[in-house]
């Protein structure tokens, strides 16, 4: 599934599309996502910024830029992006948790938890469990158990977010353990799986 050559080929395809459609914001978003998958974080942000300049209405939908901000260590900008995203998608646990993760990096875990926004209606059981973990209302084993009941995808998300949780807590050993497992043992065709792979690469956990 994950092939650098395949990603590079897709990137070249979007380069060609942009040459022919230089004012198409969606093309820049798509290319930015491939830059991210290739761990080219700054290039991804540049494309997301270009898309926004071409169409300012897409700002609340640029969750991909928020993720890129996190890996560029632009945590305040990441938190702001996710806050804007939540104005149009207030019941998304992932947006809320990524805001938490950004805040934890520049203000600490206590401030992140105290400012965790309420989410009540995310339909995904694994995400409700992840939210409870970050809110301090369940144990890590609870998240793993919910993930196990939902197969490969559930296992992936439980391990990814446990790894991110531990990274916020500055427990790098457990962060590495869970994120490496997410990337290596639970491959799914999902942008967040690529994020786990990028996380490994940028942290030198290959």
């Amino acid at each position: 599934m994950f092939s650098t050559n395949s990603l590079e080929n897709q990137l070249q395809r979007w380069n060609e599309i942009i040459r022919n459609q230089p004012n198409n914001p969606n093309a820049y978003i798509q290319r930015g996502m491939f830059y991210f998958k290739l761990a080219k974080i700054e290039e991804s942000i540049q494309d997301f910024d270009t898309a926004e300049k071409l169409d300012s209405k897409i700002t609340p939908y640029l969750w991909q830029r928020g993720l890129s901000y996190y890996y560029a260590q632009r945590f305040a900008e990441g938190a702001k992006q996710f806050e804007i995203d939540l104005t149009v998608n207030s019941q998304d646990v992932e947006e809320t948790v990524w805001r938490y993760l950004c805040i934890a990096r520049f203000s600490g875990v206590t401030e992140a938890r105290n400012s965790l926004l309420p989410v009540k209606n995310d339909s995904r059981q694994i995400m409700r469990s992840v939210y409870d973990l970050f809110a301090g209302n369940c144990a890590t084993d609870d998240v793993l158990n919910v993930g196990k009941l939902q197969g490969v995808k559930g296992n992936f998300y439980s391990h990814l977010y446990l790894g991110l949780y531990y990274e916020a807590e500055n427990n790098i050993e457990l962060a590495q353990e869970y994120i490496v497992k997410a990337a290596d043992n639970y491959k799914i065709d999902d942008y967040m799986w690529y994020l786990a792979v990028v996380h490994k690469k940028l942290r030198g956990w290959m």
Side-chain angles (χ1 to χ4, degrees):
M1 186 187 304
F2 180 82
S3 164
T4 300
N5 287 338
S6 175
L7 292 175
E8 290 283 6
N9 290 339
Q10 290 291 320
L11 184 65
Q12 293 307 316
R13 186 170 75 87
W14 285 106
N15 285 339
E16 182 64 27
I17 290 170
I18 286 171
R19 277 193 289 271
N20 293 323
Q21 303 176 39
N23 296 314
N24 180 347
N26 184 62
Y28 288 96
I29 292 172
Q30 295 299 319
R31 188 175 71 174
M33 293 171 72
F34 279 102
Y35 274 133
F36 179 85
K37 291 176 182 181
L38 288 162
K40 297 180 178 181
I41 307 301
E42 294 300 333
E43 291 89 339
S44 74
I45 293 172
Q46 290 171 15
D47 269 359
F48 299 142
D49 287 350
T50 299
E52 181 182 50
K53 288 173 185 173
L54 289 168
D55 182 2
S56 61
K57 295 191 296 295
I58 68 174
T59 302
Y61 304 97
L62 280 174
W63 54 270
Q64 301 96 328
R65 183 170 64 179
L67 298 174
S68 291
Y69 280 149
Y70 181 85
Y71 290 101
Q73 299 187 47
R74 294 165 63 174
F75 302 117
E77 290 166 283
K80 183 178 179 181
Q81 176 68 60
F82 291 118
E83 285 172 14
I84 294 170
D85 296 349
L86 287 162
T87 64
V88 296
N89 192 15
S90 64
Q91 297 304 307
D92 189 295
V93 166
E94 289 188 273
E95 305 259 26
T96 307
V97 163
W98 278 98
R99 176 180 175 272
Y100 173 113
L101 292 167
C102 288
I103 293 171
R105 295 299 291 271
F106 68 81
S107 293
V109 168
T110 300
E111 175 62 27
R113 184 163 291 137
N114 289 340
S115 63
L116 184 66
L117 298 173
V119 178
K120 298 178 180 178
N121 297 315
D122 194 308
S123 62
R124 298 166 294 174
Q125 186 178 359
I126 185 61
M127 285 304 147
R128 293 198 299 272
S129 181
V130 165
Y131 181 87
D132 286 342
L133 174 69
F134 280 83
N137 295 330
C138 78
T140 54
D141 282 350
D142 297 325
V143 179
L144 288 172
N145 288 334
V146 171
K148 287 176 184 175
L149 295 173
Q150 299 188 344
V152 174
K153 191 167 187 176
N155 274 315
F156 168 77
Y157 276 103
S158 65
H159 282 76
L160 172 65
Y161 280 103
L162 280 174
L164 291 165
Y165 172 82
Y166 280 120
E167 184 167 89
E169 299 280 339
N170 205 32
N171 187 331
I172 304 307
E173 183 177 344
L174 284 176
Q176 178 175 351
E177 177 185 337
Y178 282 107
I179 288 176
V180 169
K181 283 182 179 177
D184 292 357
N185 297 353
Y186 303 111
K187 296 182 180 182
I188 58 173
D189 187 13
D190 188 290
Y191 194 71
M192 299 306 289
W193 178 75
Y194 286 99
L195 178 142
V197 174
V198 168
H199 196 116
K200 269 182 55 182
K201 182 174 183 178
L202 294 178
R203 301 293 188 261
W205 296 345
M206 305 306 285

